[in-house]
Each structure stands twice: as structure tokens, then as C-alpha cells.
Amino acid sequence: MGGDAVLVVQLGSRTTRESVLDQLGDSPCGVAPPTTGLSSVPRAAVLAVATAQVLPPDATSPRLLEDSWLDVLATRRATSPTIWRPTS
């Protein structure tokens, strides 16, 4: 597999999340929730890539973060255990 590619789409009245997902069709990819403001786009991109990285090998369509959050969390926990230390 090559590097990660990220598609950022500005949603509007004619470009809805559903229409973007329809256009992605049978492309296996990760999809982050919509953001509010440019400052949240980098985090959304990280979450979309993290979602794509946990796709099953036989994936045939886009997968939403909200449908994969547990897999993303488990993978991130396994690869970065220090970021999950309790703060007390």
C-alpha cells in the first residue's frame, strides 16, 4: 500500500455528506465526521486516515469513523500506549 491520501470537501446545500459518500461509491476509505471551521480540519484528516488504516482487507466501501471508533481506539492504544496515561 502506498501513502495516505486525504480528500477534504466543503459541505453545502448541494454538496452533502451523503452525496460525497455516494460519489465515493465502492472506494474503501475512512470518513471523519464533518467539522466546524478550518482549525478542526487537521484533526479530521488524522481521524479519517486512522479509520482507513483499520479497514478490513475485504472492505468495498467508505467507512465512517462513528462506525469504526472502537477499532481506531484499540489500534491507537496499541501503537501509542503513552498517550492514554491517566491524569491525576
Side-chain angles (χ1 to χ4, degrees):
M1 177 182 264
D4 299 315
V6 176
L7 170 66
V8 177
V9 178
Q10 182 175 359
L11 300 177
S13 60
R14 293 179 54 176
T15 306
T16 64
R17 189 176 195 203
E18 292 74 25
S19 68
V20 173
L21 290 172
D22 286 344
Q23 290 297 313
L24 290 171
D26 60 357
S27 301
C29 59
V31 179
T35 65
T36 54
L38 288 176
S39 63
S40 58
V41 170
R43 178 153 175 76
V46 168
L47 292 172
V49 169
T51 304
Q53 291 173 338
V54 298
L55 286 172
D58 60 346
T60 59
S61 62
R63 173 149 305 157
L64 306 177
L65 173 64
E66 48 266 41
D67 296 333
S68 303
W69 68 267
L70 189 56
D71 294 329
V72 171
L73 179 65
T75 300
R76 291 180 67 95
R77 169 75 169 99
T79 59
S80 303
T82 57
I83 65 170
W84 301 100
R85 282 184 293 196
T87 56
S88 53

